[in-house]
Amino acid sequence: MDNQIALIAGEGSLPVVIASRLTDNCNPPVVYSIRESIGELSEYALDVINITKPDFGFTIKDMKKRGVKSIIMAGTVSKTLVFKPSLFDLTTQRFLAGLLFRDDHSILGAIVDFLEKEGISVLSYRDIVPDLLAKSGHIAGRTPTKEELDDADYGFSICRAVVPLSFGQTVIVNKRSVVAVEAMEGTDATLLRAGSLCKGGTVAKMMRLDQDERYDIPAVGPDTLRHMAQAKLNCLALHAGWTLILEPEEFQAVAKKENISVIGVEVCRSL
């Protein structure tokens, strides 16, 4: 194959969806899995290589041996790995040691630069799953209340202020008060923390406005809504056009069952 694609697959259903669509287009990927279980992802892979720990040295050599010219990075990886350098190979340790900042934006951007210097291009998956991008306006569940719309607007104003600092992709607001802001713990833990502080609230989720769309596009799914229901959060406001909704049919069903309003909000990409 002239342009063998590799998929670096973290946790979640997004890597499965991407691998499935690549296979449907007659270009099944070589999968480098950093998942606990490969599961159904193996059905759509040309081959699966399990990466038990971050190992840039082995991965680059293996990609070149297989003729990989392009890669896609998708799925979640624990952000706490950055505090466990003993798990990394020497190449990865040197890579991390050379970084001035170790936030998501800096690390992922540096990984892209590293791969491209090795002659491997990094592809965006946004165009592979355009139907999963949140649309503007009402998306699922009930119609939002005026108070929820006001809280959504306020939540996005907070996101715009903090997301450029590489945290706060998810903000929970109740009556125009910030209840919780996402940091390294991830979205689900942030939702549950908000639920421990108050009853009710609106969740705003936004992509960094200068983010490279080849990686780290925000994603939600049915489990996001289930965690919101557990935390007694009422409304989910998504960055329209820049947030993926995974398992959309189940997502719609859970929003209706849990009486959660889901909306898409237009946010200008220019800073």
Side-chain angles (χ1 to χ4, degrees):
M1 186 174 294
D2 292 337
N3 186 14
Q4 177 63 58
I5 294 178
L7 172 63
I8 299 179
E11 299 291 350
S13 61
L14 179 59
V16 178
V17 174
I18 290 171
S20 172
R21 298 204 180 180
L22 288 171
T23 299
D24 288 345
N25 290 328
C26 301
N27 198 1
V30 174
V31 173
Y32 293 85
S33 172
I34 46 181
R35 300 159 67 93
E36 282 193 18
S37 172
I38 190 67
E40 62 180 317
L41 188 54
S42 62
E43 299 175 23
Y44 309 108
L46 186 66
D47 197 3
V48 176
I49 300 92
N50 287 305
I51 308 294
T52 56
K53 61 182 181 179
D55 190 336
F56 282 7
F58 163 79
T59 303
I60 293 295
K61 288 179 183 177
D62 195 74
M63 285 182 179
K64 289 183 176 180
K65 181 180 72 175
R66 294 171 184 270
V68 170
K69 301 296 184 183
S70 305
I71 72 160
I72 295 171
M73 302 188 297
T76 58
V77 179
S78 174
K79 298 173 184 177
T80 60
L81 277 175
V82 73
F83 298 123
K84 302 172 183 177
S86 61
L87 295 178
F88 304 153
D89 71 307
L90 186 58
T91 301
T92 311
Q93 289 181 27
R94 288 173 176 167
F95 167 80
L96 287 172
L99 295 179
L100 182 60
F101 301 105
R102 296 190 181 184
D103 57 82
D104 291 357
H105 188 74
S106 299
I107 290 175
L108 290 170
I111 289 174
V112 169
D113 289 342
F114 178 85
L115 290 168
E116 292 191 332
K117 286 176 182 176
E118 293 291 334
I120 300 170
S121 63
V122 179
L123 306 178
S124 170
Y125 52 76
R126 190 169 180 268
D127 294 334
I128 298 174
V129 289
D131 54 304
L132 299 183
L133 291 167
K135 62 182 178 64
S136 180
H138 181 259
I139 293 173
R142 59 174 175 78
T143 302
T145 66
K146 173 66 164 56
E147 183 177 271
E148 288 167 347
L149 291 173
D150 288 344
D151 276 350
D153 286 342
Y154 184 66
F156 277 105
S157 74
I158 301 299
C159 285
R160 286 184 68 98
V162 299
V163 167
L165 302 175
S166 290
F167 74 100
Q169 191 179 77
T170 302
V171 171
I172 295 91
V173 173
N174 191 347
K175 297 179 176 62
R176 295 178 68 81
S177 291
V178 176
V179 179
V181 178
E182 179 183 359
M184 190 169 283
E185 76 275 34
T187 302
D188 291 343
T190 307
L191 298 175
L192 297 178
R193 176 159 53 85
S196 72
L197 296 171
C198 69
K199 182 178 179 180
T202 292
V203 180
K205 193 169 186 68
M206 191 184 91
M207 180 172 167
R208 180 170 170 156
L209 299 179
D210 63 344
Q211 181 73 25
D212 189 324
E213 67 179 64
R214 291 175 293 177
Y215 54 84
D216 205 27
I217 296 176
V220 296
D223 283 345
T224 308
L225 298 177
R226 293 187 181 103
H227 283 105
M228 284 182 61
Q230 183 180 345
K232 309 297 184 187
L233 301 171
N234 309 320
C235 179
L236 176 60
L238 304 174
H239 188 171
W242 296 95
T243 309
L244 295 167
I245 299 177
L246 304 177
E247 302 173 72
E249 291 184 3
E250 186 178 355
F251 185 89
Q252 289 276 345
V254 174
K256 182 177 180 180
K257 177 186 175 184
E258 301 295 351
N259 200 34
I260 293 173
S261 175
V262 184
I263 58 174
V265 177
E266 295 280 355
V267 181
C268 181
R269 284 272 289 171
S270 61
L271 287 171

